[in-house]
Amino acid sequence: MDTAILATPRPFIAATEVWLPSGDRLVHGGGDYADLTAFEAASIRQSFARGEGLPGKAWDEERPVVLKSFDGSYFLRAEAAREAGLTAAVALPVFDGKKLLAVLVVLCAGDETATGAIEVWRGQDGLLMLADGYYGAARQFEWVSQHTHFPKGQGLPGGVWAARAPILMRDLGSGYSFIRSESAGAAGLSTGLGLPVPLPGDDSCVVALLSAAGTPIAHRFEIWDARAARVGAAGGAELTDGICDRDGPLWDEDNPPRVQVWQGPIGQVLGTGLPVVLSARPGLAAGYNLMVALPIHRDGELSHIVAWYI
């Protein structure tokens, strides 16, 4: 076990959960709550109708939903969340065409030191505009983001929009390709993962996860390409980019790692098409306590899987 990773300050995301359609409701499909046992117990017992609670709202409105405060909100577990010290949540629906497959919810416990960003960008008049976002203590970076827009191909969100694929960016504070580099550097943001979120009738939604060293979203990020044009008739998925703050780059361009259906956690996503959340279990890469793997479905196929590890 790598002691450097275990000694790293607490992550920006405090809990992660998956909600799955079952008839006319969303039911608990797994998650990781660290030591928030009371909130976990309340969550396992919960279910949501369409439009009910945060997962139900993401389902009904067919879009990612950012909730920056639970007080007086539609969040049904608000009391349990407050007792657990949770302050904000983001729900990401996973669609295959018009069919909802799952809703991934991440919950944060913000304070004056928790810095990071979970952003939702949507197309409007040919540009990506910030629809919403949660930034923790990165107030100046939030203000800059609210006053920034991206054409296709520009910056991390615009690059994802043009490529229709996930993109991983390093050194946000000094990288010329990250348009908000100056404010990102001031906020301590270092690594960015941008992913397309195809929605029914909307191909312009992009979510960006921006990680800081002090309160990281993840220690390791991976992008897997599952498109038939990439992996051939044999199927599976190929690692096309990845970085770890312990091991550096994770892939070899001349001999990229591959997995087949049902081979490890990524293979589980290939087999089910659903998000996976693993907590310190066999099959999880050594030195990590949590893995989240999120599928991206496009044009009738599972096109990519993005994964992050704490």
Side-chain angles (χ1 to χ4, degrees):
M1 189 71 71
D2 190 286
T3 57
I5 285 183
L6 294 178
T8 301
R10 65 178 178 80
F12 186 67
I13 295 172
T16 305
E17 53 189 22
V18 176
W19 298 90
L20 302 174
S22 178
D24 60 355
R25 300 189 72 82
L26 291 171
V27 299
H28 193 265
D32 174 81
Y33 298 88
D35 58 351
L36 305 179
T37 54
F39 183 76
E40 179 179 11
S43 301
I44 291 172
R45 297 192 299 266
Q46 188 71 60
S47 68
F48 301 94
R50 185 163 186 160
E52 185 179 37
L54 179 62
K57 187 176 180 67
W59 179 16
D60 186 54
E61 298 187 3
E62 299 182 341
R63 65 178 180 90
V65 177
V66 179
L67 187 57
K68 300 177 185 179
S69 172
F70 299 138
D71 294 335
S73 75
Y74 49 82
F75 194 80
L76 299 188
R77 297 166 287 163
E79 183 176 352
R82 281 194 296 271
E83 292 176 355
L86 299 170
T87 55
V90 181
L92 305 179
V94 178
F95 282 95
D96 183 1
K98 295 182 179 181
K99 181 181 179 182
L100 180 77
L101 300 180
V103 178
L104 180 77
V105 175
V106 297
L107 300 108
C108 301
D111 58 24
E112 293 305 314
T113 63
T115 298
I118 305 172
E119 303 179 318
V120 180
W121 298 84
R122 298 287 294 272
Q124 179 180 329
D125 299 325
L127 297 170
L128 279 182
M129 313 294 289
L130 184 68
D132 210 342
Y134 176 69
Y135 297 84
R139 306 295 187 200
Q140 177 63 22
F141 184 77
E142 179 177 10
W143 185 90
V144 170
S145 301
Q146 291 169 342
H147 295 81
T148 304
H149 56 263
F150 297 96
K152 274 190 176 181
Q154 186 180 76
L156 178 59
V160 172
W161 190 18
R164 305 177 81 227
I167 293 176
L168 187 57
M169 276 192 178
R170 290 91 162 152
D171 302 321
L172 299 185
S174 57
Y176 70 91
S177 58
F178 193 75
I179 305 302
R180 298 166 286 164
S181 60
E182 183 176 351
S183 55
L189 300 173
S190 56
T191 305
L193 175 66
L195 54 141
V197 182
L199 304 172
D202 184 359
D203 199 36
S204 72
C205 184
V206 173
V207 167
L209 307 178
L210 308 179
S211 187
T215 49
I217 285 179
H219 299 299
R220 169 173 171 161
F221 294 94
E222 298 173 347
I223 296 176
W224 295 82
D225 195 329
R227 293 173 294 184
R230 178 88 187 196
V231 298
E238 180 179 295
L239 184 68
T240 55
D241 202 357
I243 190 171
C244 172
D245 58 17
R246 173 184 59 177
D247 301 323
L250 299 173
W251 88 110
D252 180 347
E253 292 186 39
D254 297 324
N255 187 27
R258 290 195 174 197
V259 297
Q260 298 301 314
V261 176
W262 304 117
Q263 180 185 355
I266 299 298
Q268 182 179 339
V269 179
L270 287 170
T272 64
L274 301 175
V276 165
V277 178
L278 289 180
S279 312
R281 288 166 46 185
L284 188 61
Y288 299 99
N289 297 316
L290 168 68
M291 173 199 184
V292 180
L294 180 66
I296 299 168
H297 295 263
R298 188 185 292 282
D299 302 328
E301 69 172 353
L302 174 56
S303 65
H304 294 84
I305 300 169
V306 295
W308 56 92
Y309 300 70
I310 292 292

Coordinates of all heavy atoms in Angstrom, one line a residue, residues 1 8 29 57 61 66 84 111 153 165 173 188 193 197 224 229 234 239 241 250 261 295 307:
M1 N 0.9 -1.2 0.0 CA 0.0 0.0 0.0 C 0.9 1.2 0.0 O 1.8 1.3 0.8 CB -0.9 0.0 1.2 CG -2.0 1.1 1.2 SD -3.3 0.7 0.0 CE -4.1 -0.6 0.8
T8 N -2.5 11.7 1.8 CA -2.9 12.9 1.1 C -4.2 13.5 1.7 O -5.0 12.8 2.2 CB -3.3 12.5 -0.4 OG1 -2.1 12.0 -1.0 CG2 -3.7 13.7 -1.2
G29 N -28.1 2.0 -6.3 CA -27.4 1.0 -7.1 C -25.9 0.9 -6.6 O -25.1 0.4 -7.4
K57 N -34.7 14.8 -10.3 CA -34.7 16.0 -11.0 C -33.8 15.9 -12.3 O -34.1 16.3 -13.4 CB -34.2 17.2 -10.2 CG -34.3 18.6 -10.8 CD -33.9 19.6 -9.8 CE -34.0 21.0 -10.4 NZ -35.4 21.4 -10.7
E61 N -35.4 16.4 -15.9 CA -35.0 17.5 -16.7 C -34.0 17.1 -17.8 O -33.6 17.9 -18.6 CB -34.5 18.6 -15.8 CG -35.5 19.1 -14.9 CD -35.1 20.4 -14.1 OE1 -33.9 20.8 -14.3 OE2 -35.9 20.8 -13.3
V66 N -26.8 20.8 -10.6 CA -25.8 21.2 -9.5 C -26.7 21.8 -8.4 O -27.5 22.7 -8.6 CB -24.8 22.2 -10.0 CG1 -23.9 22.7 -8.9 CG2 -24.0 21.7 -11.2
A84 N -24.0 14.9 8.3 CA -22.8 14.3 7.8 C -21.8 15.4 7.3 O -20.7 15.0 6.9 CB -23.1 13.4 6.6
D111 N -15.6 23.6 2.7 CA -15.3 24.5 3.8 C -14.4 25.6 3.2 O -14.3 25.7 2.0 CB -14.6 23.8 5.0 CG -13.3 23.0 4.5 OD1 -12.7 23.4 3.5 OD2 -13.0 22.1 5.2
G153 N -13.6 23.6 -30.0 CA -12.2 23.5 -30.2 C -11.4 24.3 -29.3 O -10.2 24.1 -29.2
A165 N -15.5 13.6 -27.4 CA -14.8 12.6 -26.6 C -14.2 13.2 -25.4 O -13.9 14.4 -25.4 CB -13.7 11.9 -27.5
G173 N -2.6 25.5 -14.5 CA -2.2 26.8 -14.2 C -1.1 27.4 -15.1 O -0.9 28.6 -15.2
G188 N -5.0 27.0 -7.4 CA -4.3 25.7 -7.1 C -4.8 24.6 -8.0 O -4.5 23.4 -7.7
L193 N -10.3 17.0 -16.2 CA -10.9 16.0 -17.0 C -12.2 16.5 -17.6 O -13.1 16.9 -16.8 CB -11.2 14.7 -16.2 CG -12.0 13.6 -16.9 CD1 -11.1 13.0 -18.1 CD2 -12.4 12.5 -15.9
V197 N -21.4 14.8 -22.2 CA -22.6 14.1 -21.5 C -23.7 14.2 -22.5 O -24.5 15.2 -22.6 CB -23.0 14.8 -20.2 CG1 -24.1 14.1 -19.6 CG2 -21.8 14.9 -19.3
W224 N -10.8 5.6 -21.4 CA -10.8 4.4 -22.1 C -11.7 4.6 -23.4 O -12.8 5.1 -23.2 CB -11.3 3.2 -21.3 CG -10.4 2.9 -20.2 CD1 -10.4 3.5 -18.9 CD2 -9.5 1.8 -20.1 NE1 -9.5 2.9 -18.1 CE2 -8.9 1.8 -18.8 CE3 -9.1 0.8 -21.0 CZ2 -7.9 0.9 -18.4 CZ3 -8.1 -0.1 -20.6 CH2 -7.5 0.0 -19.4
A229 N -14.5 1.3 -33.9 CA -13.5 1.8 -34.9 C -12.1 1.8 -34.2 O -11.1 1.7 -35.0 CB -13.8 3.2 -35.3
A234 N -13.0 -7.4 -32.1 CA -12.9 -8.1 -30.9 C -13.5 -7.4 -29.7 O -13.7 -8.0 -28.6 CB -11.4 -8.4 -30.6
L239 N -7.0 1.9 -23.3 CA -6.6 3.1 -22.5 C -5.9 4.1 -23.5 O -4.8 3.8 -24.0 CB -5.7 2.8 -21.4 CG -5.3 3.9 -20.4 CD1 -6.5 4.4 -19.6 CD2 -4.1 3.5 -19.5
D241 N -5.6 7.6 -22.6 CA -4.9 8.7 -21.8 C -5.1 8.4 -20.4 O -6.1 7.8 -20.0 CB -5.4 10.0 -22.2 CG -4.4 11.2 -21.8 OD1 -3.4 10.8 -21.3 OD2 -4.7 12.3 -22.1
L250 N 0.1 6.8 -17.6 CA -0.3 5.4 -17.3 C -0.4 4.6 -18.6 O -0.8 3.4 -18.5 CB -1.7 5.4 -16.7 CG -1.8 6.2 -15.3 CD1 -3.3 6.2 -14.9 CD2 -1.0 5.4 -14.3
V261 N -14.5 -7.4 -22.1 CA -15.7 -7.4 -21.4 C -15.6 -8.3 -20.1 O -15.1 -9.4 -20.2 CB -16.9 -7.8 -22.2 CG1 -18.2 -7.9 -21.4 CG2 -17.1 -6.9 -23.4
P295 N -19.6 5.5 -17.8 CA -19.7 5.3 -19.2 C -20.2 6.5 -20.0 O -21.0 7.2 -19.4 CB -20.6 4.1 -19.3 CG -21.5 4.3 -18.1 CD -20.6 4.9 -17.0
A307 N -12.5 7.1 -15.8 CA -12.4 6.6 -14.5 C -11.5 7.5 -13.7 O -10.6 8.1 -14.2 CB -11.8 5.2 -14.5

